[in-house]
C-alpha cells in the first residue's frame, strides 16, 4: 500500500509537471506564430493582423525545431497551438498503468506597443 501511495504521489507529480511543460511549450510556439504579422494591416492603420499561413508555418517550425509534436491553427487575430506528448509512469507501471497522453494548448495574439505586465 505504501508503494502504491508513493507511486501516486511521484507519478501524479510528474503528470502535473508534464502538463505544465506542455502548456508552456505550446505558449512559446503560439508566440512564435503570433510574430507573423501582415505588414499591410499595420501600414493601413488597421492594427496588427496575422498572416494565417505564415503564422502556422512559424509555429510548426518552432515545434519541429524543439522536437515537439503538435498542431497549429491560425486566423487573422490569433494562433492556437496544441502539443501532445506521452508521459511514462515510473512506479505505477508496476500496477499496470502505462504511459499517459498529456496535451497543452495555448493561444497568442499580436500586440501593438507595450501591453503592460
Amino acid at each position: 500500500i505504501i508503494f502504491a501511495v508513493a507511486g501516486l504521489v511521484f507519478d501524479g507529480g510528474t503528470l502535473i509537471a508534464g502538463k505544465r511543460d506542455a502548456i508552456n511549450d505550446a505558449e512559446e510556439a503560439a508566440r512564435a506564430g503570433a510574430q507573423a504579422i501582415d505588414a499591410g494591416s499595420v501600414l493601413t492603420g488597421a492594427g496588427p493582423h496575422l498572416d494565417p499561413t505564415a503564422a502556422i508555418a512559424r509555429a510548426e517550425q518552432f515545434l519541429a525545431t524543439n522536437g515537439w509534436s503538435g498542431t497549429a491553427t491560425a486566423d487573422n487575430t490569433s494562433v492556437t497551438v496544441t502539443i501532445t506528448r506521452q508521459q511514462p509512469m515510473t512506479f505505477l507501471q508496476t500496477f499496470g498503468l502505462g504511459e499517459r497522453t498529456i496535451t497543452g494548448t495555448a493561444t497568442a495574439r499580436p500586440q501593438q506597443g507595450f501591453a503592460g505586465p
Side-chain angles (χ1 to χ4, degrees):
I1 292 175
I2 293 173
F3 189 72
V5 171
L8 285 172
V9 170
F10 182 81
D11 287 336
T14 59
L15 284 172
I16 291 169
K19 176 76 171 178
R20 183 196 64 229
D21 290 345
I23 291 170
N24 288 343
D25 296 344
E27 287 174 348
E28 290 182 53
R31 284 192 297 267
Q35 294 177 25
I37 296 174
D38 177 15
S41 69
V42 176
L43 294 175
T44 61
H49 292 289
L50 291 175
D51 175 353
T53 305
I56 291 170
R58 286 180 66 104
E60 288 177 346
Q61 176 62 38
F62 193 88
L63 290 171
T65 299
N66 289 290
W68 303 328
S69 63
T71 59
T73 59
D75 58 22
N76 291 6
T77 60
S78 64
V79 181
T80 300
V81 176
T82 300
I83 290 181
T84 304
R85 57 176 58 133
Q86 297 298 315
Q87 181 68 44
M89 298 289 104
T90 303
F91 291 105
L92 294 180
Q93 69 183 352
T94 306
F95 299 101
L97 294 174
E99 292 184 335
R100 295 289 178 231
T101 302
I102 295 175
T103 59
T105 302
T107 300
R109 293 171 184 76
Q111 294 288 325
Q112 182 173 358
F114 180 68

